[in-house]
Amino acid sequence: TIGRLIKAGLAVLLLHATPVGAATVVQTDQDTPAALQSAVSLEAVAAALDANDLDRLQALATDPVLLEQLAATDTDLLIELNLAVARAFAEAGRSREAIAAYNRGLLDIMRFRGQGDISLAQPMEELAALATEPLRRADWLEKAFIIRESVWGAANPNLATYREAVDVARASAGLKPMLTRTAPADGPANFDLVDVWYATHRARTD
């Protein structure tokens, strides 16, 4: 859960901020190490999530010091933090902030886990649920399907439900059903930063 991950990440940040065996000294805000300050911000993020204080959550979860420290110490926590923030905003009906947080999470997954990692699929499907344009919804679902198919294999029966969702979305957008691939993929699915930006900001025209 995000609470467990945040607590684990806080311990890591504190470890990096204060060397083991170092003498304890009284510090002011001016001489507190940046990592320790960001650890406090991590606790604040958890508190904002628990309190459903979305405005404070937005400010805290985009703090550059916190994000840089997490990128250096706990990339899984960084990813889960962005996705937890995205889901909190989505549940509150604040789609714009949710989409921005999902995008941060997707970019971090590609950066730290790889461009065809299976963990991209669910956030893409959740982004599809937020899309107001049929073409964009179909695009996200199709991207997620391609990743699942690449990881699971084209013959995996669990793909049927996801294929059906893609074809329903494509029909709503005036597109034909997705082509069925009979041969296994040559390699893992790959999506770069341009793909994510394109799917988020522009509608497909094919």
Side-chain angles (χ1 to χ4, degrees):
T1 65
I2 186 62
R4 177 180 57 79
L5 287 167
I6 285 178
K7 289 179 181 177
L10 177 61
V12 172
L13 290 173
L14 289 171
L15 178 63
H16 282 258
T18 308
V20 175
T24 302
V25 296
V26 177
Q27 294 177 310
T28 66
D29 290 341
Q30 293 181 339
D31 57 20
T32 300
L36 186 56
Q37 293 183 40
S38 62
V40 174
S41 295
L42 193 58
E43 284 186 317
V45 171
L49 275 169
D50 288 341
N52 201 32
D53 186 348
L54 298 184
D55 291 330
R56 180 160 174 75
L57 182 62
Q58 173 74 351
L60 293 169
T62 55
D63 176 71
V65 175
L66 173 64
L67 298 181
E68 288 174 11
Q69 190 66 26
L70 287 177
T73 60
D74 194 335
T75 57
D76 285 339
L77 177 58
L78 175 62
I79 291 166
E80 293 303 327
L81 174 61
N82 280 319
L83 295 182
V85 170
R87 288 160 184 154
F89 278 114
E91 290 177 5
R94 294 173 58 167
S95 297
R96 184 172 183 177
E97 293 99 328
I99 289 170
Y102 273 120
N103 285 334
R104 292 194 298 271
L106 288 175
L107 295 177
D108 284 335
I109 291 172
M110 289 189 294
R111 178 182 174 191
F112 297 113
R113 296 178 180 171
Q115 295 185 358
D117 192 84
I118 188 64
S119 62
L120 287 164
Q122 184 176 340
M124 287 180 170
E125 290 157 354
E126 292 170 3
L127 268 169
L130 293 175
T132 57
E133 299 174 12
L135 280 169
R136 188 168 294 170
R137 183 180 306 114
D139 195 40
W140 277 124
L141 288 175
E142 187 169 346
K143 287 180 184 297
F145 178 87
I146 290 170
I147 290 174
R148 291 188 186 279
E149 184 184 49
S150 177
V151 174
W152 293 351
N156 191 309
N158 293 325
L159 289 170
T161 299
Y162 298 98
R163 176 180 290 279
E164 181 180 359
V166 173
D167 287 341
V168 168
R170 286 176 64 88
S172 297
L175 301 174
K176 296 179 180 179
M178 186 170 51
L179 294 176
T180 301
R181 184 163 56 188
T182 56
D186 294 330
N190 285 304
F191 297 94
D192 58 25
L193 306 188
V194 175
D195 287 315
V196 172
W197 186 93
Y198 184 85
T200 305
H201 293 81
R202 299 178 61 188
R204 286 171 47 174
T205 57
D206 61 338

